Amino acid sequence: MIYVVLSGRYLLAGVFLVALVGKLRCRAAYLEFVTATGALLGANTRTARWAAGATVAIEAITVCALIAEPAARVGLGLAALLLGCFTVALIRALRRGSTTPCRCFGASTAPIRARHAMRSAALGVIALGGLLVDLTLDAHHYEPAGVAVAAPAVAAGILLTTRLDDVADLLR
């Protein structure tokens, strides 16, 4: 189970890292994220700026905590909380009929869909499940062979998660 938790941590860290890079790659990308945040939350500009800034800051802290062994449980808890907030915000926006692009990973112009909320919920389950399992583990010693086996699965998971719209279009 130790490698399942490690894989979940690194999957989440990778997904949040891709999201951060997408949002912060340039000023225009960040401003588009702020605008999308306001539209998804149904909030004014000031609140949208605050929520977007808080999101970026918490995502950065979460990435660092997920990859640092002593802070892994904090990272899993933050990830679960953040993903729960994302899921609720997306569901509420969908119920209002919003077609705003999510901008979760910066560049997407695809309107939000139920699959975006399901992605956030599934990642939240991974975070919460990882935290609960990690609480039962006594030691965190990793063998190189175990990490080598987990790494390709994590990379594939990050790619599929962050390119969800492309995968969905491909499967249509």
Side-chain angles (χ1 to χ4, degrees):
M1 290 304 284
I2 195 166
Y3 294 103
V4 172
V5 173
L6 181 69
S7 296
R9 283 177 38 208
Y10 281 17
L11 168 72
L12 292 164
V15 168
F16 281 123
L17 184 60
V18 170
L20 277 168
V21 170
K23 292 169 190 154
L24 299 177
R25 72 185 188 285
C26 65
R27 182 169 171 74
Y30 182 72
L31 293 175
E32 289 169 352
F33 172 64
V34 171
T35 301
T37 299
L40 289 172
L41 295 176
N44 62 35
T45 304
R46 182 177 176 181
T47 302
R49 274 193 232 122
W50 180 89
T55 297
V56 168
I58 295 169
E59 284 180 343
I61 291 166
T62 301
V63 168
C64 294
L66 285 167
I67 61 175
E69 191 61 48
R73 290 178 180 165
V74 171
L76 288 166
L78 283 172
L81 182 64
L82 194 55
L83 290 159
C85 291
F86 291 167
T87 303
V88 169
L90 287 166
I91 290 170
R92 291 181 70 191
L94 286 166
R95 286 186 176 164
R96 284 194 321 271
S98 178
T99 57
T100 299
C102 181
R103 303 285 183 183
C104 306
F105 300 104
S108 177
T109 57
I112 61 167
R113 303 251 190 267
R115 66 177 171 246
H116 298 111
M118 292 186 314
R119 172 182 56 201
S120 291
L123 289 170
V125 167
I126 290 170
L128 189 57
L131 177 59
L132 295 175
V133 170
D134 194 62
L135 290 170
T136 68
L137 299 174
D138 292 331
H140 292 89
H141 176 72
Y142 307 104
E143 296 295 330
V147 174
V149 169
V154 170
I158 292 168
L159 182 64
L160 289 172
T161 302
T162 59
R163 304 306 303 180
L164 177 66
D165 290 325
D166 295 333
V167 171
D169 288 345
L170 184 64
L171 297 175
R172 265 195 293 164

